[in-house]
Amino acid sequence: MADPVVMLEQGAIDTRTQMVLADGRLINANATSNSDLWWAMKAGQNNFGITTHITTKAYPMGAVWGGLRVWNASQLDAVSDAFAEYQREGQLDTKSSVIPDLVPTNGTLFITLIYFAPITTRPKAFDAFYRIPAVSDDSRAHPNFLDLISVGPPQVVPRFSYGFSSLYLDNSTTYRDVMRLCAKQGEKIKQVNGGTQVLIPQPISKSMVDYARQTGGRPQTLQPRAQLWMNMSWGWNLAKDDAFVYALIQETYEMVDRLAKSRGLYDPYIFLNDAFPAQKVMRSYGAESFRRMQAVSRKYDPTQMFQKQVPGGFKLD
């Protein structure tokens, strides 16, 4: 599972890329050559061509600290409140990160805590989570990041899909109310074979947004404030249940959107990686960005092959 920090830095395709266009030409796209295409492709998925080469930034990764902390589902309210507290205080320490997998349908809440520094004791950044009594915790020093993330909850069903909603941080119980709403909806999937719900609330700090803006322009119009990217993941076994689950996914993210709107916390941005096929990802970047991406598509793909003949992905419609 990708860390939101890394995803926000996808704009770090700030060096060189090569792409094959619909007419077969191989071109460069970067800050000085075909810069409009370079801008659009950062969040445009398969709408412009086939990317064949990327030169991007790399970061040295040394020892890290962290591990998997586990609670039972009776602690869902406390863990939800801890996310809000972490965003207000702990996440100000930019070396900290969390990767949650909250699975109320099987009574288990997992969070992988990560601290990107060679420390040997618990960092204060995660105090909000440590105050909640846990079933287990294997946090420790690790020689590298790969060693830490090699342990995590497995995906145990063959069919998976997602829905996404985004909302801003406030000082009330909104995060708790969103988790309760999702968990209640999750009860409905238990009636299908292998039905599983995984909630992945991804806390995005203002500093993440600020950094992403500094690394070069991109189509997404993220607001510079703390926000929660709410990934609602759903798993099941049998194709005959697809229609039921898809309807449940859509119903749930629409309910979360309505709750956020009722409290003035709704964020229209949709994170591409976690979106349901019916969600309008490209339009969520804002009207101006959407028009610019359409113009780039018409310029580099005048026959609109990637819009009409390439299946999959989120199109510019």
Side-chain angles (χ1 to χ4, degrees):
M1 183 176 300
D3 189 304
V5 178
V6 176
M7 290 302 180
L8 276 170
E9 292 177 359
Q10 283 183 341
I13 304 175
D14 288 342
T15 319
R16 297 185 302 276
T17 63
Q18 288 185 333
M19 177 175 283
V20 176
L21 302 181
D23 62 8
R25 285 182 295 147
L26 177 66
I27 67 170
N28 294 316
N30 52 56
T32 58
S33 177
N34 300 305
S35 59
D36 52 351
L37 177 61
W38 176 70
W39 171 86
M41 66 183 289
K42 293 179 186 180
Q45 213 175 29
N46 61 348
N47 282 296
F48 309 105
I50 301 171
T51 302
T52 59
H53 184 83
I54 296 174
T55 302
T56 189
K57 295 178 181 178
Y59 300 87
M61 294 292 293
V64 299
W65 184 95
L68 191 66
R69 190 167 173 88
V70 184
W71 300 267
N72 63 52
S74 66
Q75 299 280 29
L76 183 61
D77 282 356
V79 171
S80 302
D81 292 344
F83 270 102
E85 181 181 341
Y86 170 68
Q87 274 201 280
R88 286 192 295 268
E89 300 175 14
Q91 201 172 32
L92 299 178
D93 185 338
T94 58
K95 292 185 178 66
S96 69
S97 183
V98 298
I99 302 179
D101 293 276
L102 312 181
V103 195
T105 48
N106 78 356
T108 312
L109 312 176
F110 303 89
I111 296 182
T112 302
L113 306 174
I114 308 168
Y115 197 81
F116 292 95
I119 61 174
T120 57
T121 59
R122 291 178 173 180
K124 288 185 64 60
F126 302 131
D127 279 355
F129 298 108
Y130 285 131
R131 286 197 296 270
I132 308 169
V135 174
S136 66
D137 187 335
D138 66 359
S139 298
R140 58 182 175 84
H142 294 264
N144 53 63
F145 183 55
L146 180 62
D147 184 68
L148 187 155
I149 63 170
S150 63
V151 178
Q155 179 175 316
V156 295
V157 290
R159 309 180 77 79
F160 245 88
S161 191
Y162 313 93
F164 182 84
S165 187
S166 185
L167 61 150
Y168 298 118
L169 173 67
D170 72 346
N171 293 318
S172 71
T173 62
T174 299
Y175 282 12
R176 180 191 299 190
D177 296 337
V178 167
M179 301 300 179
R180 285 182 177 180
L181 183 159
C182 291
K184 185 176 181 180
Q185 286 291 101
E187 291 296 309
K188 298 178 182 179
I189 202 172
K190 291 182 178 180
Q191 63 188 276
V192 307
N193 188 292
T196 304
Q197 180 198 60
V198 184
L199 305 177
I200 308 175
Q202 300 164 84
I204 305 300
S205 67
K206 180 180 180 297
S207 64
M208 291 182 188
V209 178
D210 290 340
Y211 182 81
R213 288 183 169 188
Q214 293 167 14
T215 59
R218 60 188 48 73
Q220 302 101 315
T221 51
L222 297 173
Q223 297 303 307
R225 56 188 292 193
Q227 54 203 263
L228 192 73
W229 292 3
M230 189 66 193
N231 173 348
M232 295 151 274
S233 302
W234 309 75
W236 66 105
N237 282 329
L238 306 177
K240 70 179 183 66
D241 295 317
D242 286 359
F244 172 81
V245 178
Y246 293 154
L248 179 59
I249 294 171
Q250 190 163 0
E251 177 185 62
T252 303
Y253 71 70
E254 288 176 351
M255 291 173 69
V256 174
D257 286 348
R258 286 196 296 271
L259 173 61
K261 288 176 181 179
S262 72
R263 301 186 184 185
L265 300 171
Y266 174 70
D267 179 2
Y269 173 70
I270 300 171
F271 181 35
L272 187 153
N273 290 37
D274 298 342
F276 186 66
Q279 294 186 279
K280 298 296 185 181
V281 172
M282 301 300 159
R283 288 185 180 273
S284 81
Y285 299 164
E288 180 180 354
S289 285
F290 184 68
R291 285 193 295 268
R292 286 182 63 187
M293 293 175 78
Q294 286 182 314
V296 170
S297 173
R298 290 190 294 268
K299 176 180 176 180
Y300 291 93
D301 181 15
T303 65
Q304 295 292 276
M305 186 191 82
F306 284 97
Q307 298 299 305
K308 300 174 182 177
Q309 296 177 263
V310 177
F314 296 93
K315 302 304 182 183
L316 294 167
D317 54 19

